[in-house]
Amino acid sequence: MTTTTRTTGTTTTTETGTAPHTTPTGPAAPPAPTAPPGPAGDERLRRWRLVLGGDSAESTGRALTGRDAAMDAALSALYGDGGRPGHRGRAGRSAGLGASAPSVARWLGDIRTYFPTSVVQVMQRDAIDRLGLATLLLEPEMLEAVEADVHLVGTLLSLGKAMPETTKETARAVVRKVVEDLEKRLASRTRATLTGALDRSARTDRPRHRDIDWDRTIRANLRNYLPEHGTVVPERLIGHGRAARSMTKDVILCVDQSGSMAASVVHASVFGAVLASMRTLRTRLVVFDTAVVDLTDQLDDPVDALFGTRLGGGTDINRALAYCQSRITRPADTVVVLISDLYEGGIRDEMVKRVAAMKASGVQFVTLLALSDEGVPAYDRDHAAALGALGTPAFACTPDLFPEVMAAAIEKRPLPVPDKATGP
């Protein structure tokens, strides 16, 4: 297993496994590598032959047969000259997926046979971007052939009303599989983390034994230290009260549904459903572009919530925050989470003033540039700096970190901002 880098246009992606071809972007292809004689050298040439593809690899002297030849053909269809409809590989091989759904379905089956799931997902995304295969996803047989992931869900949601009735049930099945996988990975830890945060947010001086905060109790009773016994006599116990079963915190997830935020919308819908299942939280899910849609009544099924979104369009953050602000009844017990790249199409100064007003009323306000595993996205740095000046740092958050961010907001302590977080 090797780690290779594939360059497509101006985008570079690193993947582990047998990597796709590298299409040279300079004036000439890189020279073919040399290898020492023997099995190790032959394997090295084989891997380079698969990486380089086409004429670039002819000087390796390594012929491909059997499984290797089939793998090379699958790679060439996407990353060779044939990766653009109407072209053929320079070596005379037929390449490109064309516009034929059956041939694309066969190709999808081939790459699932030859490559690990993580590489298959990357190749599928590249096929959609490079070959314009999004329209073919409107066919049920195509959806049944793809490897489902968050990015595919985002693509399906962006197709929106263009999806025919015959495809909708298949699309829902694909989306549900991804959602259920995410829930299995994230739900238990989220509930455990937030339950502990809710309990700790209610301190008491008459805790039960298992709820005693021993560090704080010992510090509060150091004057009662008995050296002859080597112990502290605790006159005063400090601990965590158990959260009441009535609603203790309100959470509003305000999610930008512009096209670049697709993965964040998927994760936010899943987390919204998890939070809504907790009795001690009252959760609201609001999505927006230039309009605002409240999906709270669909949180019992995150798949319904996702199909209630409409990815794409403009952005009016100020209008969305105005709606959220109008739904706040207990500011001191409310957490508002804005998930957006902050490219505001509405009134920028009003947006900042609205955030300042919510914070002044006691609302815990969190700004996430993304809720995904993709790293920091493109975002409006001026707006991020303005929010940072209000004490609301804007940063990208992975799904695994989100429970800790919410726990900190509930307990009103500093957020666990990543080291490379974006601030003013």
Side-chain angles (χ1 to χ4, degrees):
M1 188 69 68
T2 59
T3 300
T4 59
T5 301
R6 169 174 48 76
T7 304
T8 303
T10 59
T11 302
T12 300
T13 303
T14 301
E15 286 295 330
T16 301
T18 302
H21 294 57
T22 300
T23 302
T25 56
T34 59
D42 188 57
E43 174 62 14
R44 181 181 177 186
L45 288 177
R46 168 186 171 271
R47 288 174 178 270
W48 272 111
R49 174 64 183 81
L50 287 168
V51 168
L52 295 174
D55 293 343
S56 305
E58 294 307 321
S59 59
T60 63
R62 181 64 162 82
L64 297 178
T65 59
R67 182 183 177 90
D68 287 348
M71 188 184 300
D72 185 60
L75 291 166
S76 294
L78 179 57
Y79 299 109
D81 282 345
R84 295 181 294 275
H87 289 71
R88 298 175 71 86
R90 285 172 295 193
R93 295 175 301 183
S94 176
L97 303 178
S100 167
S103 68
V104 175
R106 285 194 298 272
W107 179 80
L108 288 168
D110 287 345
I111 64 173
R112 293 173 72 173
T113 300
Y114 302 134
F115 303 101
T117 299
S118 59
V119 176
V120 169
Q121 291 172 350
V122 170
M123 294 178 72
Q124 285 180 173
R125 295 200 296 272
D126 287 348
I128 291 170
D129 293 340
R130 289 167 60 87
L131 306 179
L133 298 185
T135 54
L136 290 179
L137 293 177
L138 299 178
E139 302 182 22
E141 61 269 23
M142 283 292 299
L143 283 178
E144 293 171 355
V146 296
E147 187 71 40
D149 67 347
V150 169
H151 301 279
L152 178 64
V153 171
T155 300
L156 291 176
L157 297 179
S158 68
L159 294 173
K161 295 181 180 179
M163 189 175 295
E165 290 297 327
T166 55
T167 306
K168 285 184 178 179
E169 284 307 311
T170 305
R172 288 183 69 88
V174 170
V175 173
R176 186 169 298 281
K177 178 181 183 301
V178 174
V179 166
E180 289 176 351
D181 288 345
L182 287 174
E183 282 187 307
K184 288 177 184 177
R185 180 167 71 88
L186 301 170
S188 296
R189 180 166 172 267
T190 300
R191 291 193 185 98
T193 300
L194 297 189
T195 297
L198 288 164
D199 287 343
R200 289 190 297 272
S201 67
R203 295 195 178 276
T204 179
D205 58 3
R206 299 185 63 183
R208 292 180 292 185
H209 183 270
R210 64 179 177 177
D211 298 327
I212 296 173
D213 185 334
W214 287 108
D215 287 340
R216 289 170 59 91
T217 296
I218 290 171
R219 286 197 297 270
N221 291 278
L222 286 176
R223 61 188 178 84
N224 300 322
Y225 178 67
L226 301 179
E228 63 273 21
H229 296 288
T231 189
V232 170
V233 177
E235 290 183 350
R236 178 185 168 214
L237 296 176
I238 300 175
H240 314 300
R242 291 288 163 178
R245 292 195 177 275
S246 59
M247 299 294 181
T248 60
K249 293 289 180 181
D250 293 342
V251 175
I252 302 177
L253 300 178
C254 185
V255 188
D256 184 343
Q257 61 175 347
S258 58
S260 61
M261 301 296 294
S264 296
V265 172
V266 175
H267 284 111
S269 297
V270 171
F271 276 118
V274 173
L275 299 181
S277 70
M278 300 178 65
R279 295 182 179 179
T280 49
L281 291 177
R282 183 168 58 191
T283 303
R284 183 178 295 275
L285 176 63
V286 177
V287 298
F288 67 92
D289 43 29
T290 53
V292 180
V293 180
D294 193 326
L295 298 176
T296 303
D297 60 350
Q298 298 178 37
L299 278 178
D300 58 333
D301 187 343
V303 176
D304 286 341
L306 284 170
F307 276 95
T309 64
R310 51 178 187 182
L311 292 175
T315 307
D316 193 337
I317 303 173
N318 180 55
R319 173 179 289 188
L321 291 180
Y323 176 84
C324 294
Q325 189 176 25
S326 71
R327 296 298 184 270
I328 295 174
T329 58
R330 304 184 304 154
D333 293 315
T334 299
V335 178
V336 174
V337 182
L338 171 64
I339 304 174
S340 173
D341 54 17
L342 301 180
Y343 286 110
E344 172 63 310
I347 306 173
R348 183 259 192 189
D349 291 341
E350 287 297 316
M351 177 194 78
V352 176
K353 289 179 182 178
R354 201 173 297 282
V355 174
M358 282 191 275
K359 285 181 63 65
S361 70
V363 171
Q364 295 297 110
F365 197 92
V366 179
T367 306
L368 302 180
L369 300 172
L371 179 56
S372 69
D373 291 308
E374 299 172 333
V376 180
Y379 64 96
D380 189 305
R381 294 181 178 274
D382 290 339
H383 290 167
L387 293 177
L390 297 176
T392 305
F395 58 98
C397 177
T398 64
D400 288 335
L401 180 63
F402 185 73
E404 300 297 334
V405 170
M406 288 302 302
I410 287 171
E411 295 183 63
K412 299 184 178 182
R413 54 182 171 83
L415 301 179
V417 180
D419 292 339
K420 295 183 179 180
T422 302

